[in-house]
Amino acid sequence: MPRPKGFDPTEVLDAAVGTFWRKGYAATSAQDLVDGTGLGRGSLYNTFSGKQQLFSQALRRYEETSATRVEEMLAAPGTIRARIRRVLMDVVDDELDPSDAHRGCLAVNAALELGGIDDEVTARVRHNFERVENAFHAEFAAAREQGEIAGDPRALARFTLAAMYGLRVLGKTADRQALTQVVETTIQAL
């Protein structure tokens, strides 16, 4: 009879997310994952099969938390422009948080490192981006029905998605003024 696991897989995934997020996929060693999760190599590989599978599951876990956060912020009261500003300024605040050391977005980082090279990672990141785009689209479609905006909801969703993830990339080097200018220009364009 198999022995029950003595750890919470969700906590381990959260720790792996942090490790991959800090170092990137290629630079994360097996020892980094052992150190980051607190599990032995055997437990890690028996549970997750290998580094690539663990990374895929870490991306899935990241999507659960990051996309849900965007969805919740969009569901809050306010005009569409106020809610989009809130989402984008949350990105700015996150990027400039000194405790995060300009980590960016794990999905964007994965897209830049492995997009188009690793089919599984590409599909996982695409799913993450589509989920956020669909959340924007639903809100823009509702705002259009209410007469708040006149543009094509899908095009506006993609534009806002590009601005949001562009802030993630720019946040690695830009200051608050530059990032806020991107947010305000995006809001004006809506």
Side-chain angles (χ1 to χ4, degrees):
M1 185 172 241
R3 214 172 53 162
K5 287 185 172 95
F7 58 89
D8 180 350
T10 301
E11 289 178 11
V12 171
L13 275 176
D14 287 342
V17 165
T19 303
F20 284 124
W21 203 350
R22 276 187 304 281
K23 300 193 78 152
Y25 177 78
T28 298
S29 69
Q31 189 60 49
D32 292 329
L33 292 168
V34 166
D35 294 343
T37 63
L39 291 181
R41 288 178 198 251
S43 294
L44 265 175
Y45 287 96
N46 286 336
T47 303
F48 298 103
S49 302
K51 178 180 168 182
Q52 185 173 10
Q53 292 77 12
L54 178 57
F55 187 61
S56 181
Q57 289 185 40
L59 283 172
R60 186 175 295 115
R61 176 70 179 147
Y62 178 80
E63 177 187 328
E64 289 171 15
T65 57
S66 65
T68 298
R69 182 173 169 179
V70 170
E71 292 162 350
E72 289 171 352
M73 292 179 77
L74 288 173
T79 66
I80 187 66
R81 286 176 181 84
R83 290 180 287 139
I84 295 297
R85 179 182 281 111
R86 199 173 310 128
V87 168
L88 296 179
M89 286 307 297
D90 183 65
V91 170
V92 170
D93 292 341
D94 191 43
E95 288 305 314
L96 298 176
D97 181 349
S99 67
D100 281 344
H102 302 282
R103 291 187 300 179
C105 167
L106 181 61
V108 171
N109 296 348
L112 294 172
E113 183 177 5
L114 298 170
I117 297 169
D118 182 304
D119 291 341
E120 186 175 346
V121 170
T122 301
R124 174 61 32 213
V125 170
R126 181 180 299 123
H127 185 271
N128 186 315
F129 291 174
E130 287 172 352
R131 180 172 168 183
V132 175
E133 178 187 321
N134 288 336
F136 285 142
H137 176 259
E139 296 304 318
F140 283 125
R144 183 175 174 182
E145 283 183 26
Q146 295 170 1
E148 269 191 86
I149 60 165
D152 172 22
R154 183 58 68 186
L156 291 171
R158 289 179 177 147
F159 175 76
T160 305
L161 183 79
M164 185 175 94
Y165 288 130
L167 286 168
R168 291 290 190 188
V169 174
L170 290 173
K172 289 182 175 285
T173 61
D175 62 13
R176 180 169 292 280
Q177 181 180 357
L179 297 177
T180 301
Q181 188 175 42
V182 171
V183 171
E184 294 309 321
T185 303
T186 302
I187 299 305
Q188 287 173 11
L190 297 176

